[in-house]
Amino acid sequence: MKILLVEDDEIIGKGLIYTFEQNGYEVTCKTTVKAVEEFLNSSKPDLIILDITLPDGNGLELYESTISKLNIPTIFLTAKDDENNVVKGLELGAEDYITKPFFVKELLARINKIILREKKNLVVTVKDIKFDIDKMKVYKDNKNVELTSLEIKILHLLFVNINKVVTRNDIIEKIWDWTGNDVNDNTVTVYLKRIREKLKTDIITTVKGIGYRIDEEEN
């Protein structure tokens, strides 16, 4: 996936470039309206992360005049006091916005949702397992797999990060968010064991000492 990052803050830009590349994305970074317009004359990225305040103009105006016509999914990065402007951007067709300062994990999660939607991949299939993202249901050979609410959420976390490692710490933090329960590594191991037993297909790879991953099958 090719991402165009439009950000003039050097520190934020370098940090996001590193994060995106570590997650397998191809990144081009531009810092001005003019540079973006020139880039889009010859290239079409899969996604644009667009800052609103730029040295030579406004990201919202850039979106309205140029990007919206190219049908490229766009996420606005904005300072909190720019939210009223972003509403206009969303009405024009932008996918989402995220305020500064922001959590990188949150941005990655929003990107993953856009990827799934753009691929029309609302039902993700790996081997004989299907995960319906919209309905939050899991099927094996087209038969419903009975999972608890928390097991489905953990499996969903792996599916929306398909081909990427979800760390054990990420899962622990998510369980805390979902339930308010403080769990440990052993609890995560138990949950993953139960999920695997119910799926009866080992699509979940253990990355020793780090976490878990589901890999999309190549056609």
Side-chain angles (χ1 to χ4, degrees):
M1 181 181 186
K2 297 179 181 179
I3 295 177
L4 171 60
L5 172 63
V6 185
E7 173 60 66
D8 67 317
D9 185 303
E10 185 176 357
I11 295 175
I12 293 175
K14 285 183 177 179
L16 287 176
I17 290 170
Y18 175 80
T19 297
F20 291 151
E21 289 179 345
Q22 289 297 302
N23 282 272
Y25 300 127
E26 182 181 331
V27 190
T28 299
C29 185
K30 300 297 180 182
T31 59
T32 65
V33 170
K34 182 180 179 181
V36 172
E37 290 173 338
E38 291 175 351
F39 177 79
L40 293 176
N41 281 334
S42 58
S43 301
K44 186 175 181 180
D46 300 302
L47 176 71
I48 296 176
I49 310 295
L50 178 60
D51 191 11
I52 285 185
T53 305
L54 297 169
D56 60 342
N58 181 283
L60 186 64
E61 294 172 359
L62 171 63
Y63 179 82
E64 185 173 7
S65 65
T66 304
I67 297 171
S68 63
K69 297 177 176 63
L70 298 175
N71 197 30
I72 301 172
T74 300
I75 298 176
F76 282 116
L77 278 181
T78 172
K80 201 162 186 123
D81 58 3
D82 287 330
E83 286 187 25
N84 288 334
N85 287 331
V86 175
V87 169
K88 181 181 178 182
L90 295 176
E91 290 173 346
L92 289 169
E95 293 286 334
D96 208 343
Y97 78 93
I98 191 164
T99 58
K100 298 177 181 178
F102 57 90
F103 293 106
V104 173
K105 287 182 182 178
E106 180 185 357
L107 178 57
L108 289 173
R110 297 192 189 197
I111 290 171
N112 284 330
K113 287 180 181 178
I114 291 172
I115 292 170
L116 288 172
R117 185 162 65 248
E118 287 301 305
K119 285 183 176 180
K120 301 186 178 353
N121 222 6
L122 298 177
V123 177
V124 185
T125 302
V126 178
K127 294 185 179 178
D128 55 353
I129 302 298
K130 292 182 180 180
F131 197 116
D132 189 317
I133 301 293
D134 276 347
K135 296 179 180 178
M136 288 292 280
K137 287 185 176 293
V138 183
Y139 302 91
K140 178 181 172 66
D141 295 325
N142 295 318
K143 295 180 180 179
N144 186 55
V145 179
E146 294 293 338
L147 298 173
T148 67
S149 175
L150 188 54
E151 288 166 351
I152 289 174
K153 288 177 179 178
I154 293 171
L155 190 59
H156 176 260
L157 182 63
L158 295 173
F159 266 96
V160 297
N161 289 284
I162 204 158
N163 299 323
K164 300 172 188 174
V165 176
V166 177
T167 69
R168 296 174 70 86
N169 283 339
D170 286 339
I171 296 173
I172 289 170
E173 289 176 6
K174 283 295 185 181
I175 292 174
W176 168 260
D177 289 342
W178 295 326
T179 69
N181 295 330
D182 193 5
V183 300
N184 55 32
D185 268 7
N186 290 335
T187 307
V188 172
T189 300
V190 170
Y191 276 120
L192 267 295
K193 182 174 182 290
R194 288 177 183 170
I195 293 169
R196 282 168 163 155
E197 288 173 349
K198 291 181 179 182
L199 294 179
K200 296 179 181 177
T201 302
D202 196 4
I203 62 172
I204 303 171
T205 300
T206 299
V207 182
K208 191 173 181 180
I210 301 175
Y212 303 91
R213 186 185 70 238
I214 293 177
D215 290 326
E216 193 173 26
E217 291 184 294
E218 295 182 2
N219 295 324

